[in-house]
């Protein structure tokens, strides 16, 4: 079926199935696999705006299709597509290899079509991207729904591309034009977060597999709503921090969605799907009044889906009690202190104390919280081995502070694979004690083509070499498992299995290190291929049990009747 624009999401590395890669623990604490097959929410919002403007859209998650079957031919699928524009996201840095390779394939089979890139990483490296022969357009910014509509109108209706805000483009002679980054919404209330539009697109294109947000989403779906674009917090390592947003997308202040519209988004999701809903961004970031208005609206709308709330600092019983009486379907918490070392955390830009963390967790459970996910990292500024290990050891005290059957999950993983472009660390690495191995987009793309996650790491610090970051990640995982067993939360058998898996992963990393020292390229490649099956087997849950991240939810197939009812309500609303 012909479309006006197709959104393509690439795997991190193309074609990962044909390369010997040991991914390591780089995605153990996120829903997607190390292929990073989860596409950004912009696919949904931009597609919804284009649909409303009369354009036909389609989303094809190439990475998911590749994970679903070794026999899937990505190039053949792209050859069969028929569209005027192919929009490829380069939002997260780990897609620097796969996104560009997909663009090459699109140009090979559709030389007259336009290839557009967008996302935060595209916004940072826009000049490097537009110089590539396979890329025609780069859309900069973080609220590009309306500019993309204007771009499509110009392309299809003979308009002037020079009038499209945020667009970098080539004319028919290959000359580059930069329209400047001028469009940035101050409120998100005009953005269409329309899951109904996504469902209708799937039905129209008859492609459920290709539209899945990540591999396995159809069996354990998780949805999300967004309080904000931008951030008021200035975490040094984060490409979505206040500093990064100012330098990369020219956002001077966060743009919030009103509490009433946010509650409406939650209500619309529950009209389609009985799935957990993750609220992205701390509800208190815009002030306590924002959170109170949102929760009041949830009470009036009777939200019966499970809701996951994010914390950017500690919270007390008043806030948690208000959540508990407002969400009928139960609630959980995600909290990322990054380190249990107060000096490290303070340097990052997170000024709350360990006491605040230790007080928040039991209080949340006392007020009705179903589960609490806590995340730590290794490879941070001012963090040495002892500091990193102490974050893992802190789990013992935290688990002791709650009941054994309280759902407290604690994770520890490496800061990997890259330092985010635009972050304070990336812009001033020496000031933060970092040595970066990649500065340009091409540098990052080449690193991704390495056979081991340790060799992909883009940095070292004054306190940890790459070897240290890798070894400490495995050591901390074992320490965390020991604390979990000591707290009576996992059996001796589960503990032994986790340690065995972690040590096997460590040994595989060492074997790849030794193979990389072989000078003869043919022998080296042959030896790497001998590790391929083991590397794929260790693809998920390398140092943590990835299934711990799952929320109880019915599959999308069990939600069929609700989807139909939701579509009917959507038609009535319109």
């Amino acid at each position: 079926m012909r479309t006006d624009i197709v959104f393509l999401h690439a795997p991190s590395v193309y074609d990962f199935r044909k390369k010997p890669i040991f991914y390591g623990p780089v995605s153990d604490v996120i829903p997607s696999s190390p292929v990073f097959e989860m596409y950004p929410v912009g696919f949904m919002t931009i597609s919804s705006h284009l649909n409303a403007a009369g354009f036909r859209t389609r989303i094809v998650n190439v990475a998911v299709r590749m994970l679903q079957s070794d026999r899937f031919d990505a190039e053949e699928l792209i050859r069969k597509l028929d569209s005027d524009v192919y929009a490829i996201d380069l939002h997260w840095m780990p897609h620097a290899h796969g996104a560009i390779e997909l663009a090459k394939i699109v140009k090979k089979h559709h030389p007259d079509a336009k290839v557009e890139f967008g996302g935060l990483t595209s916004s940072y490296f826009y000049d490097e991207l537009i110089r590539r022969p396979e890329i025609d357009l780069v859309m900069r910014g973080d609220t590009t729904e309306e500019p993309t509509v204007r771009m499509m109108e110009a392309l299809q209706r003979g308009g002037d591309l020079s009038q499209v805000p945020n667009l970098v483009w080539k004319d028919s002679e290959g000359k580059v034009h930069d329209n400047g980054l001028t469009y940035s919404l101050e409120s998100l209330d005009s953005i269409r977060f329309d899951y109904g539009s996504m469902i209708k697109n799937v039905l129209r294109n008859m492609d459920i597999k290709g539209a899945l947000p990540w591999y396995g989403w159809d069996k354990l779906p998780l949805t999300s709503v967004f309080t904000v674009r931008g951030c008021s917090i200035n975490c040094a390592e984060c490409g979505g921090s206040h500093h990064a947003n100012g330098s990369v997308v020219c956002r001077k202040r966060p743009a919030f969605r009103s509490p009433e519209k946010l509650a409406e988004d939650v209500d619309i999701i529950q009209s389609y799907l009985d799935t957990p809903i993750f609220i992205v961004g701390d509800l208190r970031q815009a002030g306590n009044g924002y959170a109170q208005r949102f929760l009041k609206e949830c009470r009036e709308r009777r939200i019966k889906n499970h809701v996951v709330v994010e914390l950017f600092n500690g919270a007390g019983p008043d806030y948690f009690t208000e959540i508990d009486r407002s969400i009928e379907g139960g609630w959980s918490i995600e909290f990322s202190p990054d380190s249990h070392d107060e000096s490290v955390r303070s340097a990052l830009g997170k000024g709350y104390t360990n006491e605040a963390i230790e007080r928040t967790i039991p209080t949340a459970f006392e007020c009705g919280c179903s589960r609490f996910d806590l995340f730590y990292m290794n490879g941070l500024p001012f963090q040495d081995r002892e500091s990193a290990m102490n974050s893992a050891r802190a789990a013992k005290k935290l688990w002791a502070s709650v009941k054994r059957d309280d759902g407290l999950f604690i994770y520890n993983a490496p800061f990997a694979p890259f330092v985010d472009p635009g972050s304070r660390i990336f812009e001033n690495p020496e000031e933060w004690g970092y040595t970066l191995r990649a500065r340009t987009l091409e540098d990052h793309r080449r690193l991704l083509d390495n056979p081991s996650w340790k060799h992909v790491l883009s940095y070292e610090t004054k306190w940890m070499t790459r070897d240290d970051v890798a070894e400490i990640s495995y050591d901390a995982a074992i320490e965390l498992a020991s604390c979990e067993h000591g707290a009576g939360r996992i059996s001796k058998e589960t503990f032994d299995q986790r340690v065995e898996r972690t040590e096997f992963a460590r040994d595989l990393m060492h074997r790849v290190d030794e193979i990389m020292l072989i000078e003869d390229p043919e022998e080296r490649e042959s030896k790497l291929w001998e590790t391929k099956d083991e590397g794929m087997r260790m693809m998920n849950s390398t140092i943590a049990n990835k299934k711990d991240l799952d929320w109880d939810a019915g599959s999308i197939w069990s939600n069929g009747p609700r989807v139909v009812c939701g579509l009917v309500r959507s038609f009535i609303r319109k």
Side-chain angles (χ1 to χ4, degrees), residues 545-564:
N545 185 359
K546 200 175 179 76
K547 290 186 177 180
D548 285 346
L549 293 168
D550 295 339
W551 272 270
D552 292 332
S555 71
I556 59 170
W557 315 111
S558 66
N559 280 273
R562 183 178 288 210
V563 170
V564 173

Side-chain angles (χ1 to χ4, degrees), residues 481-501:
S482 177
C483 291
E484 193 170 6
H485 175 245
R489 290 178 164 266
I490 57 173
S491 67
K492 180 65 163 57
E493 180 183 8
T494 300
F495 168 70
D496 289 341
Q497 289 173 348
R498 193 172 298 177
V499 170
E500 181 182 5
R501 186 174 180 87

